């Protein structure tokens, strides 16, 4: 549990994973548990920095109204606290508004930008939805009433057409203690109501991916198209589902994000794995360590004591216990991709002459010498 300060506000954040830094900015009412179904997958490729916006989760609530600009300044203070000059940003819904402001007014801090299920100006009908949700909370409405009123606006028909999904959400509403006060919710409604980037959004120069939901009612895909039309270096991806892909389709959402942020390369030589039963280890596992690879420096031949499966493990994730024993520091899979020449893949991580790649459906290791930078 980590905290930083922006002026007199104490603000909470979590960090997970290693790799290039990616800041995840959640939407209205949401703390950083917003990312709970996809953070494990994303953290395999990136260092995730997940703040609680002011007024939600474990962060302080100001005594007066605040704006999207204020929340963007919180993110800059967080980057300063972590000594990070430049990061990629993913903002969802209200978080997308914060991300726009960051990219416009702090362009030197933004590497790549993802604006997800967001808008240039929040629609009047969407503001009314938030006000309605606020009133239900103020009236202490039952979980069933709140679910009936809220879910059709943020989930797709396919998702809420499944009774098990609806019951799970009702149970979550009933058992989860609110992490935002009514005053704070009112302040966030004010911030999102006042936001309008029409006069400055064209200042965004960072490479940008804009993501929309096909059936999103709060931020219809036309709002995302409007954003793309204003930018010189942006592309639009419309996903199946509605407003919350991190809950409806977390795996597909994570794959889309990873593909955009990763380096695209082309296979120049066929690669077929010679290890049909690759070693897989988890953080904390003890392995028997053997010889070091003479061709690929930095790889150690290990045997997983629990599974008795052997294979090559990067030296960087092994903490030496004894001469022939080591403990694994992070989850690792030695799976290799089978690829053909001219096939395009995305590099998510490079290590000791190899790259952890995604071909759009599967992930695995490939030798860097069999890859070249893809041309747009």
């Amino acid at each position: 549990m980590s905290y930083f300060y922006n002026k007199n506000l104490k603000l909470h954040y979590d960090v997970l994973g290693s790799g290039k830094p990616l800041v995840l900015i959640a939407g209205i009412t949401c703390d950083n548990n917003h990312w709970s179904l996809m953070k494990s997958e994303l953290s395999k490729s990136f260092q995730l920095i997940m703040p609680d916006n002011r007024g939600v989760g474990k962060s302080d609530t100001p005594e007066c109204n605040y704006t999207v600009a204020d929340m963007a300044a919180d993110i800059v203070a967080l980057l300063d606290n972590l000594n990070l000059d430049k990061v990629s940003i993913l903002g969802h819904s209200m978080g997308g508004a914060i991300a726009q402001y960051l990219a416009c007014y702090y362009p030197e801090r933004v590497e790549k930008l993802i604006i997800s299920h967001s808008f240039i100006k929040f629609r009047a009908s969407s503001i009314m939805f938030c006000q309605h949700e606020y009133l239900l909370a103020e009236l202490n409405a039952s979980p069933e009433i709140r679910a009936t009123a809220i879910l059709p606006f943020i989930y797709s028909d396919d998702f809420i057409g499944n009774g098990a999904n609806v019951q799970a959400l009702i149970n979550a509403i009933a058992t989860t203690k609110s992490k935002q006060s009514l005053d704070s919710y009112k302040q966030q409604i004010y911030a999102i109501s006042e936001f309008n980037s029409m006069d400055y959004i064209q200042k965004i120069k960072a490479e940008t991916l804009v993501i929309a939901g096909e059936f999103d009612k709060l931020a219809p895909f036309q709002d995302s198209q409007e954003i793309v039309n204003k930018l010189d270096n942006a592309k639009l991806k419309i996903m199946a589902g509605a407003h919350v892909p991190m809950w409806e389709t977390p795996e597909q959402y994570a794959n889309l994000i990873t593909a955009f942020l990763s380096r695209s390369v082309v296979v120049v030589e066929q690669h077929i794995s010679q290890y049909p039963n690759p070693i897989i280890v988890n953080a904390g596992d003890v392995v028997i360590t053997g010889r070091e690879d003479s061709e690929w420096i930095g790889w150690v031949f290990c045997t997983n004591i629990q599974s008795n499966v052997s294979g090559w493990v990067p030296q960087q994730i092994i903490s030496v216990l004894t001469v022939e024993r080591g403990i694994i520091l992070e989850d690792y899979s030695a799976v290799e991709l089978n690829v053909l020449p001219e096939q395009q893949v995305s590099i998510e991580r490079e290590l000791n002459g190899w790259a952890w790649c995604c071909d759009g459906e599967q992930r695995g290791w490939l030798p860097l010498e069999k890859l070249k930078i893809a041309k747009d």
Side-chain angles (χ1 to χ4, degrees):
M1 188 180 300
S2 302
Y3 292 90
F4 69 102
Y5 283 87
N6 185 17
K7 298 180 180 177
N8 294 324
L9 279 184
K10 183 180 180 182
L11 303 167
H12 171 258
Y13 70 98
D14 288 313
V15 176
L16 180 66
S18 59
K20 291 186 176 181
L22 170 62
V23 179
L24 306 181
I25 310 176
I28 190 168
T29 78
C30 298
D31 66 0
N32 64 15
N33 285 312
H34 196 53
W35 314 105
S36 60
L37 294 185
M38 55 186 289
K39 65 183 182 181
S40 177
E41 186 63 31
L42 282 178
S43 66
K44 295 176 183 177
S45 305
F46 309 102
Q47 180 189 53
L48 303 183
I49 301 163
M50 300 171 287
D52 287 339
N53 291 323
R54 56 171 63 194
V56 70
K58 301 181 182 72
S59 289
D60 285 350
T61 298
E63 295 180 357
C64 57
N65 284 334
Y66 50 86
T67 65
V68 164
D70 294 324
M71 289 186 278
D74 293 338
I75 301 299
V76 174
L78 172 58
L79 299 184
D80 290 342
N81 179 73
L82 295 173
N83 295 315
L84 292 172
D85 293 328
K86 203 167 191 178
V87 299
S88 291
I89 300 284
L90 163 60
H92 174 259
S93 195
M94 183 185 74
I98 298 168
Q100 290 175 56
Y101 196 93
L102 281 166
C104 287
Y105 290 101
Y106 304 93
E108 72 283 359
R109 310 305 292 267
V110 180
E111 183 75 36
K112 285 188 174 184
L113 178 66
I114 303 175
I115 302 170
S116 177
H117 300 70
S118 196
F119 39 80
I120 287 177
K121 180 174 175 58
F122 207 35
R123 295 182 178 223
S125 58
S126 300
I127 294 171
M128 289 184 69
F129 164 79
C130 293
Q131 292 168 335
H132 186 205
E133 186 180 13
Y134 170 85
L135 288 173
L136 290 174
E138 186 178 42
L139 293 170
N140 198 26
S142 71
E144 290 79 10
I145 290 175
R146 293 184 67 188
T148 301
I150 295 169
L151 299 187
F153 280 87
I154 56 178
Y155 290 93
S156 67
D157 286 351
D158 285 346
F159 189 84
I160 60 176
N162 183 322
N165 289 338
V166 174
Q167 190 57 54
L169 291 166
I170 290 173
N171 293 342
I173 293 172
T175 58
T176 302
K177 183 179 179 181
S178 175
K179 297 181 180 179
Q180 184 177 42
S181 68
L182 287 172
D183 284 345
S184 177
Y185 190 11
K186 186 182 293 186
Q187 289 170 338
Q188 286 199 338
I189 293 174
Y190 171 84
I192 204 171
S193 301
E194 292 295 308
F195 175 77
N196 186 342
S197 63
M198 182 63 74
D199 291 339
Y200 57 80
I201 190 172
Q202 68 278 0
K203 294 180 181 179
I204 294 177
K205 301 304 178 186
E207 184 181 355
T208 303
L209 173 65
V210 181
I211 306 176
E214 184 179 6
F215 304 109
D216 193 343
K217 298 181 181 69
L218 282 185
F221 68 83
Q222 292 90 344
D223 293 1
S224 292
Q225 183 64 65
E226 184 180 23
I227 292 173
V228 172
N229 291 344
K230 293 289 183 181
L231 303 181
D232 294 329
N233 191 17
K235 58 184 178 182
L236 175 64
K237 175 65 177 180
I238 299 177
M239 297 185 65
H243 192 63
V244 283
M246 66 288 297
W247 295 103
E248 284 202 45
T249 54
E251 184 176 351
Q252 294 92 319
Y253 192 42
N255 286 342
L256 180 60
I257 292 162
T258 299
F260 172 69
L261 296 176
S262 302
R263 187 154 54 102
S264 185
V265 294
V266 173
V267 177
V268 295
E269 181 182 337
Q270 176 178 291
H271 182 79
I272 303 297
S273 174
Q274 302 300 311
Y275 298 92
N277 186 25
I279 186 172
I280 297 174
V281 289
N282 298 314
D285 284 353
V286 175
V287 295
I288 300 171
T289 55
R291 69 186 187 280
E292 295 186 14
D293 196 316
S294 58
E295 179 182 3
W296 300 100
I297 304 302
W299 296 90
V300 180
F301 196 77
C302 297
T303 300
N304 187 330
I305 290 178
Q306 291 182 319
S307 66
N308 202 36
V309 175
S310 300
W312 296 102
V313 177
Q315 192 174 45
Q316 293 92 328
I317 71 165
I318 305 171
S319 178
V320 176
L321 292 176
T322 66
V323 175
E324 295 183 346
R325 291 288 189 277
I327 188 167
I328 298 299
L329 301 177
E330 63 182 69
D331 294 351
Y332 167 78
S333 168
V335 170
E336 296 179 20
L337 278 181
N338 296 325
V339 292
L340 298 172
E342 302 305 319
Q343 187 173 340
Q344 189 161 310
V345 298
S346 297
I347 293 179
E348 299 177 3
R349 184 182 188 185
E350 295 181 24
L351 205 58
N352 306 336
W354 287 69
W356 180 255
C357 298
C358 178
D359 66 3
E361 295 182 357
Q362 298 178 315
R363 287 181 169 83
W365 292 97
L366 290 172
L368 280 170
E369 63 185 19
K370 295 186 178 182
L371 306 172
K372 70 174 182 180
I373 301 296
K375 295 181 179 180
D376 294 331

